[in-house]
Amino acid sequence: MTGWVAIAGLGPGRDDLVTPEVTAMLAEATDVIGYIPYVKRVAPRDGLTLHPTDNRVEIDRATHALTLAAEGRRVAVVSGGDPGVFAMASAVFEALEGKPQFADADIRVLPGITAMLAAAARAGAPLGHDFCAINLSDNLKPWSVIERRLRLAAQADFAMAFYNPRSRSRPHQFGDALAILREECAPQRLVTFARAISRPDEALNTVTLAEATAEMADMQTVVLLGNSETRFVGRYVYTPRSAS
Ligand code: SAH
């Protein structure tokens, strides 16, 4: 059996932010599995079968990948950004757990440039000191867990990156998250809204926490909250590498 599963990150959007390792793997693959917009980013070619699927079936998608690999196929499971950041890598290992038929599966994880790092690079260096990443979607965890993490991370003065800040099905939660941050942080704390980074409709907007509104974010936005030292130098936002 020569099949494998490669779980790959396609980066934030632009082709030149896809790593050469991922490009080389895609040239070897026989199948590409992933959420529709990510599969669309892979160029079709003879001998390559594309399997675009809906986002809500991550474990089914992972099991499909493992099944095809067990049949000897070379399967690319693609995510945006990095596959280990709120994406498919964990789903594949979750699908593997407790399934002896896949015990000798050849699984590789190929890193990609995650949204928060692409966004931070655009802004300057807002994540230059200690930071954390929080997924604000409560699809897979209770909102109370998110609230607690936000509050404790703010008290510890972490800079933060918020993924999935706001969607049509959860319109109020990002406003609730901002309210918690306003209780814990000074009003002049800097917040960067980084939308569609590295894509044609990219937009970057840094405001104070006092000025931030929930409408400034959507599902294509990653939000970077500075720590208490984060500041502007010229038009760049940066966080010093030392803490006071
Ligand atoms: N695995 C991905 C994250 C998947 S969660 C990664 O590592 O980047 C999807 C969320 O990522 C979006 O709601 C948004 O918050 C963020 N995101 C992904 N691509 C982005 C981009 N090009 N610009 C800004 N945010 C992005």
Side-chain angles (χ1 to χ4, degrees):
M1 191 189 80
T2 54
W4 44 253
V5 176
I7 315 159
L10 298 178
R14 226 172 54 210
D15 283 351
D16 61 355
L17 296 179
V18 179
T19 69
E21 180 187 42
V22 168
T23 304
M25 179 279 292
L26 288 171
E28 298 294 313
T30 57
D31 297 82
V32 178
I33 292 182
Y35 181 39
I36 298 156
Y38 304 136
V39 172
K40 271 195 187 143
R41 287 173 51 190
V42 178
R45 61 170 163 77
D46 285 350
L48 185 67
T49 308
L50 303 177
H51 306 267
T53 59
D54 189 83
N55 203 18
R56 280 166 296 227
V57 288
E58 292 193 343
I59 297 295
D60 293 354
R61 192 191 290 156
T63 306
H64 185 203
L66 290 166
T67 306
L68 289 175
E71 292 164 4
R73 301 192 63 89
R74 301 186 294 277
V75 186
V77 177
V78 292
S79 294
D82 181 273
V85 180
F86 312 129
M88 282 305 295
S90 289
V92 172
F93 293 114
E94 203 176 324
L96 188 67
E97 230 169 11
K99 299 212 184 64
Q101 70 271 33
F102 298 135
D104 62 350
D106 176 356
I107 300 173
R108 311 148 192 194
V109 183
L110 278 46
I113 297 175
T114 188
M116 69 176 173
L117 298 184
R122 283 313 236 178
L127 303 179
H129 193 58
D130 298 340
F131 66 90
C132 64
I134 302 179
N135 182 353
L136 291 188
S137 164
D138 64 348
N139 286 347
L140 300 170
K141 63 190 166 189
W143 180 250
S144 59
V145 168
I146 298 173
E147 279 185 344
R148 181 158 186 271
R149 289 187 178 155
L150 276 176
R151 197 175 289 284
L152 293 178
Q155 287 171 7
D157 201 19
F158 279 106
M160 296 179 222
F162 303 127
Y163 284 76
N164 296 307
R166 195 156 170 263
S167 78
R168 269 188 289 269
S169 60
R170 315 176 273 112
H172 306 300
Q173 287 172 346
F174 185 55
D176 295 348
L178 287 175
I180 291 169
L181 294 171
R182 285 193 183 102
E183 286 172 26
E184 302 293 338
C185 307
Q188 65 270 25
R189 180 71 63 101
L190 294 183
V191 188
T192 297
F193 292 86
R195 184 174 190 282
I197 293 301
S198 88
R199 303 181 197 147
D201 50 342
E202 172 177 306
L204 200 67
N205 180 25
T206 300
V207 299
T208 65
L209 184 54
E211 295 162 336
T213 65
E215 294 69 35
M216 292 177 178
D218 64 10
M219 280 307 272
Q220 289 202 61
T221 307
V222 65
V223 182
L224 305 180
L225 176 83
N227 74 11
S228 58
E229 305 271 344
T230 303
R231 49 195 180 247
F232 271 106
V233 54
R235 61 191 169 88
Y236 303 102
V237 180
Y238 94 104
T239 303
R241 293 186 58 196
S242 54
S244 55

